Amino acid sequence: MLITFKSKAATEITMYKEHARRILDLLHKDVDRGIITPAELPLAIVKIEAAIADSKAHPVSEEVSRDVNAHHSEKGDDHEHEIPEPVSFAARVFPVLEMLHAANKMQKEVVWGV
């Protein structure tokens, strides 16, 4: 399932619902449908920037790396999987954060699921 973030201050952003969920959970927002009002934007930006800093301070655990690499053998066989390229939280949230900054500057809301 896809979620599309919309604002009159920026271009639409579409991402998988499972990735949007982490962002929206930080903001205590429903993943299916919602709005971030101009009054809520400054705090939303602060929360997301803090989560980015936290994610950069805590690298991917060995357990997660082991699970990702489990699909690849010692001989380099990939079992028909492409080589995994993890995408950091900071990279995933960057477009949404840029939208929030633009919306805050123009005092426009950000909506999704509508």
Side-chain angles (χ1 to χ4, degrees), residues 6-7 10 18-19 28 30 37 52 59 68-70 79 84 87 92 104-105:
K6 300 175 185 178
S7 176
E18 63 214 44
H19 300 288
H28 305 289
D30 180 37
T37 65
I52 290 170
V68 169
N69 293 325
H79 304 287
V87 178
R92 286 199 199 282
N104 190 41
K105 183 176 181 181

Side-chain angles (χ1 to χ4, degrees), residues 50-70:
I52 290 170
D54 187 52
S55 72
K56 288 180 179 180
H58 299 95
V60 176
S61 72
E62 183 180 324
E63 193 174 288
V64 171
S65 296
R66 188 174 347 111
D67 288 345
V68 169
N69 293 325

Side-chain angles (χ1 to χ4, degrees), residues 18-31:
E18 63 214 44
H19 300 288
R21 177 173 277 116
R22 180 167 178 199
I23 298 166
L24 296 170
D25 283 350
L26 287 170
L27 307 177
H28 305 289
K29 297 287 186 176
D30 180 37
V31 72

Side-chain angles (χ1 to χ4, degrees), residues 12 23 36 43-44 50-51 57 61-63 66 71 85 87 91 100-101 103 105 107 111:
E12 290 182 359
I23 298 166
I36 302 171
L43 183 58
S61 72
E62 183 180 324
E63 193 174 288
R66 188 174 347 111
H71 295 286
E85 294 183 32
V87 178
L100 295 178
H101 278 292
K105 183 176 181 181
Q107 288 298 288
V111 298

